[in-house]
Amino acid sequence: MSLRRIYGMQSRLWVQLQKSAVKVVRSCPSPGRRTVATTASCHEKLAPKPLPKHDWNRAVSEAEKIVGYPTSFLSLRWLLSDEIANVALHLRKLVGSNHPLLRTAKMLIYNGKNNMQTWGLIVLLVSKAVGHAPTVPDLEQDKSAGVLQSQRGLAEITEMIRTAHLVHQGLVNLQSFAGAGNELASDSDTIFGNKIALLSGDYLLGNACLQLAGLRNQALIELISSAVRDLAESSFLGVRDQQNNPLPSKPLPEAERAAGASGVEVDLSFGDLVDNIQPLSLAGVMGDPEKEWSLRHILGAGTLLGKSCQGAMMLAGQPEAMQRRGYMFGKHLSLAWQACLDLEPFIGDHLPAGGRFSLVSAPVLFQLAHDPGLYVEIEKGLESIDNVDYQAIHAAIVKGPGLERTRALQQKHSQAAMVVLNDLPSSDARTALQNIIIAMQDI
């Protein structure tokens, strides 16, 4: 059969399909009419397709293709390095023990919906969505991805700092000062795991500092250094048990009403709207549920992501006002994501046997403000959080207003991040960021 005949058959088939579509449209009720019911034949011909659900993994996967960047810092270049290979070899010695470092390693390698190792990806998407000044040299540009080489380096630095912080959090306090120095006890696996966690985190942090200095931008170095300071401060904020696990502060009198029950917007700036290089203000924070939750997670995550987005715009030569918008976007995005994570343990009505959740999560803090008597249970964890009855706290939260207020909190920060995106020009990178925010709703 000749090509001309094939093309002719395709043309006639296309014409017939167009005519059939016109007939179907004319035979069915107009979308503009308000009809109570339609005929079965119309439903058969024009069955509406279900709207695609925003899936987190799909949103991240599509975003990666836009900037050509893997989600986790564990790229092929890192996996093939001698240092990381040695760390992996030592980690095998901890298999079978209960050291938290193993759980941290599993969390970093598994990039599912329960993990947000997408910080470098967010930084690059923001970089591409905003663009760069025309004065940037061509050699600095990665035209295939639409970002600068320095911005790609900053994305890797952000991943390394974040990962180093998570690894350092896996350290375990072994014993009291009275028994310190006895390394021949039954804690040998824990001691070895602590050494690996400490040295691995220091290695990552040291490499991040080296790459940051290589960018040769003093303002950027000062900005990211202040984010590292905030990460360190987050590990010492508030009341903690002997293993440094955080505990919520005792609710202030009438904290529920003061935290927004009256409809008054809570100020969550903590001084960073004036100068985010300086330490955040702690005045009047502890004991107020929304302020305490926000400050904990801005220090522990929000400033790093926000200042990385701000730094990416700084490298692109964007004006200072736009840089500040980048900081606010990263800050609100991290808080919206944290609210999503806080809701996960309360999806079911009952907590699985042995289940745990963060005692400083938003549902817990809101429930304490609503029912201060629940703090008696929290006080049992001053020595160790193992003494806390998580089942009782979970049951109280499921019945109380904490979950609804956490959902409202998540919506609040998601919308604040969307407001920043809406001011940016339309692009595939902006769409990818919007899809990531929307996908959080379905987690």
Side-chain angles (χ1 to χ4, degrees):
M1 184 179 293
S2 65
L3 290 175
R4 180 178 299 177
R5 186 175 180 184
I6 293 175
Y7 291 151
M9 293 175 63
Q10 288 179 340
S11 300
R12 289 192 294 272
L13 179 60
W14 175 246
V15 172
Q16 291 296 327
L17 289 174
Q18 287 180 320
K19 291 180 179 179
S20 300
V22 171
K23 291 179 181 179
V24 170
V25 171
R26 288 177 178 175
S27 62
C28 293
S30 172
R33 298 176 186 173
R34 296 181 179 270
T35 57
V36 177
T38 55
T39 61
S41 60
C42 289
H43 279 294
E44 291 175 359
K45 296 177 182 178
L46 291 178
K49 295 182 179 180
L51 293 175
K53 185 179 180 180
H54 290 274
D55 179 74
W56 170 261
N57 292 332
R58 179 181 178 184
V60 171
S61 177
E62 292 177 352
E64 289 175 351
K65 298 175 184 177
I66 295 175
V67 292
Y69 187 81
T71 297
S72 174
F73 88 98
L74 291 171
S75 60
L76 185 61
R77 179 170 65 88
W78 278 92
L79 289 175
L80 294 181
S81 66
D82 293 336
E83 293 85 356
I84 297 298
N86 289 333
V87 171
L89 182 63
H90 289 300
L91 277 176
R92 293 180 60 184
K93 300 179 182 179
L94 290 176
V95 175
S97 67
N98 195 30
H99 198 280
L101 181 59
L102 288 178
R103 295 193 296 271
T104 303
K106 182 179 179 181
M107 179 187 67
L108 295 175
I109 295 174
Y110 173 67
N111 290 294
K113 69 179 184 179
N114 295 322
N115 184 22
M116 194 184 181
Q117 290 301 305
T118 57
W119 294 54
L121 175 63
I122 297 295
V123 172
L124 289 184
L125 287 172
V126 169
S127 302
K128 185 171 184 179
V130 175
H132 53 79
T135 56
V136 176
D138 290 342
L139 293 177
E140 171 66 10
Q141 302 177 25
D142 182 358
K143 295 185 178 180
S144 60
V147 297
L148 305 180
Q149 299 293 348
S150 57
Q151 290 172 331
R152 191 173 294 278
L154 177 60
E156 292 187 3
I157 291 168
T158 303
E159 290 275 11
M160 283 190 286
I161 294 176
R162 171 66 169 165
T163 305
H165 178 62
L166 293 175
V167 171
H168 277 156
Q169 285 182 324
L171 288 169
V172 179
N173 292 333
L174 296 177
Q175 50 198 343
S176 63
F177 286 112
N182 181 16
E183 294 190 2
L184 300 178
S186 58
D187 303 313
S188 57
D189 287 341
T190 306
I191 295 173
F192 180 74
N194 279 356
K195 291 179 179 179
I196 297 299
L198 179 63
L199 295 175
S200 300
D202 287 351
Y203 169 76
L204 291 172
L205 190 58
N207 269 274
C209 294
L210 181 63
Q211 290 194 30
L212 182 61
L215 295 180
R216 300 181 181 276
N217 188 312
Q218 182 176 352
L220 179 65
I221 292 174
E222 184 179 9
L223 182 69
I224 302 302
S225 297
S226 67
V228 177
R229 177 206 63 213
D230 293 338
L231 287 175
E233 186 177 352
S234 69
S235 299
F236 300 94
L237 183 67
V239 183
R240 293 176 177 262
D241 72 350
Q242 293 184 0
Q243 285 295 333
N244 202 39
N245 295 306
L247 294 170
S249 301
K250 191 171 184 178
L252 296 174
E254 300 181 352
E256 173 77 10
R257 179 172 57 82
S262 60
V264 178
E265 185 70 16
V266 179
D267 182 16
L268 302 178
S269 60
F270 307 112
D272 57 348
L273 295 182
V274 178
D275 183 7
N276 64 348
I277 299 294
Q278 299 300 319
L280 299 184
S281 173
L282 306 181
V285 172
M286 308 310 290
D288 184 295
E290 185 171 352
K291 288 184 178 180
E292 179 177 340
W293 177 86
S294 300
L295 181 63
R296 285 181 182 275
H297 297 293
I298 289 174
L299 287 172
T303 58
L304 178 60
L305 184 58
K307 291 177 181 180
S308 295
C309 294
Q310 178 181 349
M313 296 184 182
M314 183 186 298
L315 292 171
Q318 296 293 340
E320 186 175 350
M322 180 62 73
Q323 296 177 24
R324 301 291 296 180
R325 301 278 288 170
Y327 169 73
M328 296 305 297
F329 171 77
K331 169 183 169 180
H332 286 295
L333 179 61
S334 67
L335 290 178
W337 171 250
Q338 186 60 48
C340 284
L341 293 181
D342 287 354
L343 286 169
E344 279 191 358
F346 304 97
I347 294 177
D349 293 336
H350 301 283
L351 185 68
R356 294 288 186 88
F357 50 85
S358 173
L359 295 177
V360 293
S361 62
V364 176
L365 293 175
F366 284 132
Q367 184 62 32
L368 287 174
H370 175 71
D371 179 16
L374 188 63
Y375 196 75
V376 175
E377 188 63 42
I378 298 294
E379 289 180 319
K380 297 178 181 178
L382 290 176
E383 181 176 349
S384 173
I385 59 172
D386 295 336
N387 300 329
V388 175
D389 188 349
Y390 283 85
Q391 295 284 351
I393 297 178
H394 186 277
I397 291 173
V398 169
K399 297 177 182 178
L403 296 182
E404 189 61 33
R405 292 201 58 183
T406 303
R407 294 187 186 97
L409 192 66
Q410 194 259 344
Q411 290 288 337
K412 170 184 175 179
H413 291 292
S414 295
Q415 292 172 4
M418 281 289 194
V419 168
V420 178
L421 288 181
N422 291 336
D423 292 339
L424 301 180
S426 179
S427 65
D428 53 354
R430 190 188 79 166
T431 302
L433 288 169
Q434 291 172 335
N435 290 338
I436 287 176
I437 295 175
I438 296 173
M440 291 181 185
Q441 320 300 321
D442 298 324
I443 294 179

